[in-house]
Amino acid sequence: MEKKRVATLTLDDGRVIELPILEGTLGPDVLDIRNLAKAGLFTFDPGFMATASCESQITFIDGEAGLLYYRGYPIEQLAEHSDFLEVCYLLLNGELPGAAQKVEFNSKVRQHTMVHDQLARFFSGFRRDAHPMAVMVGVVGALSAFYHDSLDINNPEHREISALRLISKVPTIAAMAYKYNIGEPFMYPKNKFGYVENFMHMMFATPCEDYVPNPVLVRALERIFILHADHEQNASTSTVRLAGSSGASPFACVSSGIAALWGPAHGGANEAVLKMLEEIGDISRVEEFMKGVKEKRYRLMGFGHRVYRNMDPRANVMRETCYEVLNELNLGDDPMFRMALELEQIALRDPYFIERRLYPNVDFYSGIVLRALGVPTNMFTVIFALARTIGWISQWNEMISDADRRIGRPRQLYQGAVQRDFVPVTER
């Protein structure tokens, strides 16, 4: 029998606390610090930079090596050879589907793409100029009020139905948020289309004429969906898990994830790339802008990553996709895209950026691709939320299935006032 590895912590009062060392199948070892609580101690880790909040079998990231695996499969292989619904099945179930399983899963998703007709009336309660992410938070959360038949989180069949409904209906809701924002009529899903084609139909079609998807553009958006499907325990995923630990409905939990994703430090990064390009204004100012970045006068968006200390593995796929889309749409001479490509070239050859590992990340290229597809900037994070829904619901399902699940309850280092006695207002 293999001997368990243990680290010991000796306190200044002589107490010795044993901390078991846990080993994952990949990645660094983890100290199990639960024995600290028995001794009346807690750790202080703002941002949870050194804390594993859960066990998971879904996604693995090695930031130093630039690796991202879904259920053990490298993201580059999935982006090249798979489709989004196949990746959804993988994240939910742990294995890629067989041919019959894939047909059945796709059929189930297709059956749930419509939303309750009353749900469409929710949109009229929002201003037309409301940010689409604000609409997404409200409408996705409202799904809990319509689908009461699958809210027993302890029932695996209910969890599966909820997962299918979210995967199916979030694209419909996202497209409706866009149509409402621009004042066009809603376009309902068509079963003749695939998942990504259907979303593009609901986004860009009008009742006036038939919509014919461009396969190059469909594949580009499919890759964006695959690359953004999950990314381990980031802020929004951790939010979904924390909300779910209380027993909240999956729709409410995903709504909380959308709210967390909305932040510019998280899901708004590709939107920030386009705003940066707009501020630069012209390709003639790119050199001066990059000089200003090195002098700390400007902030460079879409380069470097909090997790990846090497090239973001998703960025290589997205870079290739970016060029495919620009070539397909003959946008190589577009001023915005020329600026972006000049920024890329400078960052990839300038020692300042190379030494600091400030490589273009997935947000840099996905922002360019989404703009080329005709997606407005305020919808970028909505696209991100649509893609990430499968990751959130897979992580939620894994957490709910864990027999050791407990409600999340982070501790704090209190720095406030000590006990003091109340004084009536007349004596203060």
Side-chain angles (χ1 to χ4, degrees):
M1 184 175 179
E2 187 178 349
K3 186 177 179 181
K4 291 185 177 180
R5 298 167 60 206
V6 176
T8 57
L9 174 65
T10 303
L11 305 179
D12 55 6
D13 61 6
R15 286 182 295 168
V16 176
I17 302 173
E18 291 191 344
L19 305 174
I21 300 174
L22 308 179
E23 297 181 19
T25 52
L26 292 170
D29 294 340
V30 176
L31 286 178
D32 183 346
I33 61 172
R34 284 175 287 188
N35 285 340
L36 291 176
K38 298 175 184 177
L41 297 170
F42 305 105
T43 58
F44 184 64
D45 183 21
F48 306 107
M49 297 298 293
T51 299
S53 61
C54 64
E55 292 184 17
S56 182
Q57 299 178 7
I58 298 174
T59 302
F60 172 75
I61 296 172
D62 184 333
E64 288 295 330
L67 302 176
L68 171 59
Y69 299 160
Y70 292 168
R71 300 286 191 178
Y73 292 97
I75 191 64
E76 301 92 331
Q77 293 182 20
L78 293 172
E80 182 178 356
H81 302 295
S82 191
D83 61 55
F84 183 64
L85 283 184
E86 195 169 40
V87 170
C88 289
Y89 186 97
L90 170 68
L91 291 173
L92 271 175
N93 299 291
E95 299 292 341
L96 288 168
Q101 290 171 318
K102 184 175 180 179
V103 170
E104 181 185 11
F105 184 74
N106 288 7
S107 176
K108 286 180 177 179
V109 170
R110 194 177 296 116
Q111 292 170 15
H112 289 287
T113 52
M114 291 285 290
V115 296
H116 195 290
D117 190 56
Q118 266 190 288
L119 194 74
R121 301 178 193 174
F122 269 60
F123 289 86
S124 62
F126 295 97
R127 287 173 52 120
R128 289 277 181 183
D129 60 355
H131 195 290
M133 281 296 279
V135 176
M136 291 293 291
V137 170
V139 178
V140 172
L143 291 174
S144 301
F146 287 86
Y147 301 105
H148 309 284
D149 60 336
S150 60
L151 294 183
D152 180 359
I153 64 172
N154 296 311
N155 185 327
E157 292 182 5
H158 283 205
R159 295 201 300 271
E160 180 185 3
I161 293 170
S162 293
L164 287 169
R165 282 175 169 159
L166 280 161
I167 298 166
S168 306
K169 297 181 191 306
V170 166
T172 306
I173 294 170
M176 292 171 83
Y178 169 65
K179 288 294 194 182
Y180 184 75
N181 184 259
I182 63 174
E184 289 187 1
F186 297 148
M187 296 299 296
Y188 288 96
K190 287 186 177 293
N191 289 344
K192 70 177 182 179
F193 289 131
Y195 188 87
V196 179
E197 290 174 317
N198 205 15
F199 175 67
M200 295 179 76
H201 155 75
M202 291 187 289
M203 278 279 290
F204 301 121
T206 69
C208 306
E209 55 189 28
D210 290 334
Y211 178 75
V212 181
N214 180 319
V216 174
L217 306 187
V218 170
R219 184 58 184 157
L221 188 57
E222 185 137 42
R223 283 178 180 163
I224 288 177
F225 285 178
I226 291 171
L227 296 176
H228 288 87
D230 196 54
H231 208 238
E232 209 223 59
Q233 305 308 316
N234 51 62
S236 57
T237 301
S238 297
T239 299
V240 170
R241 277 185 172 263
L242 190 60
S245 73
S246 71
S249 86
F251 306 113
C253 295
V254 168
S255 178
S256 73
I258 295 171
L261 185 71
W262 191 1
H266 191 4
N270 48 18
E271 186 173 343
V273 170
L274 268 294
K275 289 181 179 178
M276 174 188 72
L277 292 173
E278 289 170 358
E279 290 171 1
I280 295 173
D282 187 81
I283 194 170
S284 63
R285 292 197 61 243
V286 170
E287 286 278 1
E288 189 276 331
F289 176 82
M290 294 299 264
K291 180 182 177 182
V293 169
K294 292 191 280 188
E295 295 171 352
K296 304 294 191 294
R297 290 187 288 113
Y298 303 126
R299 188 177 179 189
L300 184 63
M301 307 304 297
F303 290 76
H305 197 279
R306 184 179 182 181
V307 173
Y308 298 108
R309 299 296 175 244
N310 206 318
M311 190 76 173
D312 181 342
R314 302 168 299 171
N316 288 326
V317 178
M318 208 65 247
R319 183 177 189 270
E320 178 183 336
T321 302
C322 181
Y323 280 90
E324 289 174 4
V325 169
L326 297 186
N327 289 335
E328 176 68 17
L329 298 176
N330 296 315
L331 288 172
D333 291 330
D334 182 276
M336 183 77 79
F337 299 131
R338 289 180 61 211
M339 277 193 291
L341 299 180
E342 181 65 16
L343 281 172
E344 174 198 53
Q345 292 305 310
I346 293 174
L348 291 176
R349 68 173 183 257
D350 190 316
Y352 176 90
F353 299 101
I354 295 172
E355 290 167 6
R356 289 162 177 78
R357 301 183 179 183
L358 293 175
Y359 304 107
N361 61 35
V362 69
D363 296 309
F364 179 75
Y365 296 113
S366 63
I368 298 171
V369 171
L370 288 173
R371 183 177 186 271
L373 294 179
V375 178
T377 306
N378 66 355
M379 281 291 294
F380 283 8
T381 315
V382 175
I383 301 292
F384 195 166
L386 189 168
R388 185 56 55 85
T389 295
I390 179 56
W392 289 331
I393 199 64
S394 298
Q395 297 272 352
W396 173 86
N397 188 50
E398 180 181 64
M399 180 200 64
I400 297 298
S401 304
D402 187 351
D404 295 328
R405 169 174 60 94
R406 300 180 65 184
I407 186 170
R409 180 59 171 87
R411 306 304 296 236
Q412 66 175 13
L413 175 63
Y414 179 69
Q415 298 282 23
V418 298
Q419 181 180 344
R420 46 186 174 172
D421 294 326
F422 177 78
V423 178
V425 67
T426 56
E427 299 177 19
R428 292 177 211 160

